Amino acid sequence: MIEKNVSSINVIVSRKSLLLLFTMTSTLFLMSWFFVLGSTSQPQSIDIELIPNSRRFSNNNNDYATWTPEKYVEPSVGNRAILVNSKDASSSSSQDSYDEGKCNKNNEEVVIKIFMYDLPSKFHFGLLDWKEKNSVWPDIRGAIPGYPGGLNLQHSIEFWLTLDLLASEIPNAPKASSAVRVHNSSEADIIFVPFFSSLSYNRYSKINQHGQKSRNKVLQEELVEYLAGQELWKRSGGKDHLILAHHPNSMLDARVKLWPATFILSDFGRYPPNIANVDKDVIAPYKHVINSYVNDTSTFDSRPTLLYFQGAIYRKDGGVARQELFYLLKDEKDVHFSFGSVQKDGIQKATQGMRSSKFCLNIAGDTPSSNRLFDAIASHCVPVIISDAIELPYEDVLDYSDFCLFVPTRDAIQGNYLINLIRNVTKDEWTRMWNGLKEVEAFFEFQFPSKEGDAVQMIWQAVARRVPAVRLKMNKSKRFSRCPSTTTSDIVEKSIHVPSNFW
Ligand SMILES: *[C@@H]1O[C@H](CO)[C@@H](O)[C@H](O)[C@H]1NC(C)=O
Ligand SMILES: *[C@@H]1O[C@H](CO)[C@@H](O)[C@H](O)[C@H]1NC(C)=O
Ligand SMILES: *[C@@H]1O[C@H](CO)[C@@H](O)[C@H](O)[C@H]1NC(C)=O
Ligand SMILES: *[C@@H]1O[C@H](CO)[C@@H](O)[C@H](O)[C@H]1NC(C)=O
């Protein structure tokens, strides 16, 4: 149902754009050209077909039959988890909602061509204690360095996206094909900077005892220096670059220098709008830490808890609503509030809790997003979202109201408003949303090798939809190239001013 919605959106958009194009070219070409030049707004939803350089082909998985990657390396250190148990991943995603054949028929494929810098390995796999030999990249046909488990995994998009690009170079690799790596940057739609910034933040942000800078800080400085020295960066001022900063605290220092690039983020909570915004950047899901609910046969009646919440009640900022809601809901006997984050042994409890609840509460915390939403989706527990500023992954092609309830904060904290609203949802309505969750859950699944329609492919497609806006910006920036005394950035970007004391 959701897939159909997605393709019907595309159909509507493409008809509209064709009509628009026709009208403009025949009569209003000149005028519209001036409008385009004069406007600073960027296209919001662009039909994939309009993206130049996109290639379409029908994917025949038989081509891929010859290559099977080995399993992940067993973690040698205690605090490391094996990444994805490939059996787990494939069984969860081979559920009714996720059928490769079906997906391939319905979802036409876009290929985005990506140039990836061969950054020294200390910026990526070296952070996983992998030692480079002949290449800065591991040979992914063999064992792949493991990514630290636990909560680190929430922000592991950098790992999955980079692996997917490396896999795109291996003939017959069993990967989905939204993105391919190209080595000639003139053929690329976008330039990818493979810095594992979230891992760098999670593992290396401690200042050492001699008071020297943390490794995370040093790497960011070195990255800025590296990019500033690249012809590709100078050519565009970074506008056609793609940078990953999924952890809200990652790239804290470099973001103020690298902002012309497109970022992949979890939310905009800790960014001023001139550095990151919905027009320029891409929101990616967290990797859920609760396992997918495979073969879920639960029903409205078999899930005894009405509403489930797990998390800290008291948060520094943005989370005032949590406290209010706790006091409003604590006496409802079928509402479960539990405190503390989902840690090792907590995961078992949270899994049990979410799978036996009809609704799962997501309240804004320190930042508007949290991995709890993606845990709820994986558990087929209908999310109730109370976070007015939340930005959701791929929302231009996905209607979250099909499978989530959104409640404005000011209403949610009024007396019995929230509980009444939730109790009012009928069994049929709930079942429809539960089915919706099962249809979309594959979009939030990170795995290697990546599969059609999983999170990796959805993120690449979201990036591909940014490409026309990037091209527009690049061409615009060349307007005054014949007037050396005036740089375009003086004019076009005058309004973008990052106060130096912001951080
Ligand atoms: C890169 O691609 C451009 C445009 O397709 C082409 O003109 C150029 O010769 C290519 N460079 C190399 C080194 O292949
Ligand atoms: C799910 O159901 C299928 C088919 O009945 C079965 O083969 C598979 O083992 C089940 N998986 C789990 C995790 O229960
Ligand atoms: C619950 O449903 C009833 C009947 O449909 C409606 O009158 C009432 O306003 C609803 N309450 C809320 C809080 O949505
Ligand atoms: C600029 O405009 C040309 C068409 O004249 C287009 O082919 C190109 O992709 C645009 N973008 C860039 C980055 O050159």
Side-chain angles (χ1 to χ4, degrees), residues 159-447:
F159 179 75
W160 309 106
L161 293 177
T162 306
L163 284 179
D164 191 56
L165 282 185
L166 293 174
S168 76
E169 295 189 281
I170 293 176
N172 305 321
K175 75 172 278 289
S177 41
S178 293
V180 290
R181 184 181 185 192
V182 295
H183 288 269
N184 181 341
S185 60
S186 345
E187 290 169 1
D189 296 310
I190 203 145
I191 314 294
F192 182 73
V193 181
F195 174 38
F196 290 2
S197 59
S198 299
L199 185 64
S200 172
Y201 170 76
N202 275 332
R203 292 191 107 183
Y204 299 110
S205 46
K206 281 208 192 70
I207 298 164
N208 74 14
Q209 12 158 235
H210 308 298
Q212 283 157 347
K213 286 180 201 163
S214 69
R215 186 161 158 198
N216 177 44
K217 223 174 167 70
V218 172
L219 281 174
Q220 289 179 61
E221 287 171 5
E222 290 177 354
L223 183 72
V224 169
E225 198 180 317
Y226 176 95
L227 288 173
Q230 298 296 315
E231 283 312 312
L232 282 174
W233 182 275
K234 291 184 209 161
R235 180 185 80 178
S236 66
K239 293 184 189 68
D240 57 353
H241 282 53
L242 182 63
I243 291 176
L244 310 176
H246 198 260
H247 192 293
N249 293 340
S250 64
M251 294 294 244
L252 211 51
D253 302 296
R255 63 175 67 162
V256 293
K257 307 217 169 74
L258 304 180
W259 60 265
T262 292
F263 292 124
I264 304 189
L265 305 171
S266 53
D267 62 53
F268 298 112
R270 295 191 183 159
Y271 285 81
N274 47 6
I275 290 189
N277 56 67
V278 265
D279 293 328
K280 175 171 80 71
D281 304 304
V282 170
I283 296 296
Y286 291 57
K287 178 168 165 42
H288 55 86
V289 295
I290 287 183
N291 283 341
S292 305
Y293 195 169
V294 182
N295 297 344
D296 174 8
T297 54
S298 67
T299 61
F300 185 77
D301 297 315
S302 76
R303 290 179 175 240
T305 306
L306 177 71
L307 182 62
Y308 181 90
F309 175 78
Q310 155 106 42
I313 0 174
Y314 303 106
R315 301 307 297 230
K316 293 190 288 278
D317 41 51
V320 183
R322 288 187 183 207
Q323 242 162 295
E324 304 260 350
L325 285 165
F326 170 66
Y327 290 111
L328 287 173
L329 297 172
K330 66 181 171 37
D331 297 326
E332 302 288 338
K333 60 184 182 308
D334 50 359
V335 172
H336 172 96
F337 253 82
S338 73
F339 304 113
S341 63
V342 183
Q343 294 292 354
K344 283 165 211 123
D345 45 319
I347 287 185
Q348 202 58 43
K349 276 204 184 122
T351 305
Q352 179 61 33
M354 286 191 167
R355 289 182 181 181
S356 52
S357 302
K358 299 180 180 70
F359 295 94
C360 284
L361 199 51
N362 293 268
I363 317 171
D366 292 352
T367 56
S369 74
S370 95
N371 80 304
R372 215 165 288 115
L373 170 63
F374 305 99
D375 285 336
I377 293 174
S379 312
H380 311 150
C381 178
V382 174
V384 176
I385 299 177
I386 303 173
S387 179
D388 301 343
I390 197 170
E391 291 295 340
L392 296 160
Y394 354 112
E395 203 174 0
D396 53 346
V397 293
L398 205 54
D399 182 352
Y400 281 78
S401 70
D402 282 344
F403 50 89
C404 294
L405 287 181
F406 291 87
V407 187
T409 309
R410 59 153 205 278
D411 294 338
I413 56 177
Q414 296 302 318
N416 291 327
Y417 185 92
L418 180 65
I419 197 75
N420 287 345
L421 186 103
I422 292 172
R423 289 202 194 284
N424 245 12
V425 176
T426 64
K427 183 172 172 170
D428 283 353
E429 285 171 321
W430 182 86
T431 307
R432 210 176 307 127
M433 288 192 275
W434 175 78
N435 275 316
L437 287 170
K438 295 202 293 176
E439 285 180 36
V440 300
E441 66 180 331
F443 298 156
F444 303 97
E445 219 50 75
F446 288 92
Q447 56 209 328

Side-chain angles (χ1 to χ4, degrees), residues 17-87:
S17 11
L18 278 177
L19 191 69
L20 197 69
L21 213 66
F22 182 72
T23 325
M24 289 201 301
T25 45
S26 52
T27 56
L28 292 168
F29 177 77
L30 261 179
M31 263 175 92
S32 69
W33 184 238
F34 281 117
F35 284 141
V36 169
L37 288 180
S39 140
T40 48
S41 66
Q42 287 145 3
Q44 280 288 322
S45 74
I46 291 134
D47 181 26
I48 276 151
E49 296 196 22
L50 298 179
I51 301 175
N53 285 350
S54 74
R55 190 155 58 89
R56 287 160 169 275
F57 56 88
S58 72
N59 181 28
N60 181 353
N61 275 309
N62 294 335
D63 295 347
Y64 297 151
T66 50
W67 186 73
T68 346
E70 284 176 29
K71 297 274 150 53
Y72 294 95
V73 203
E74 286 286 335
S76 48
V77 206
N79 67 350
R80 293 226 187 162
I82 304 181
L83 273 187
V84 168
N85 175 333
S86 51
K87 199 170 103 224

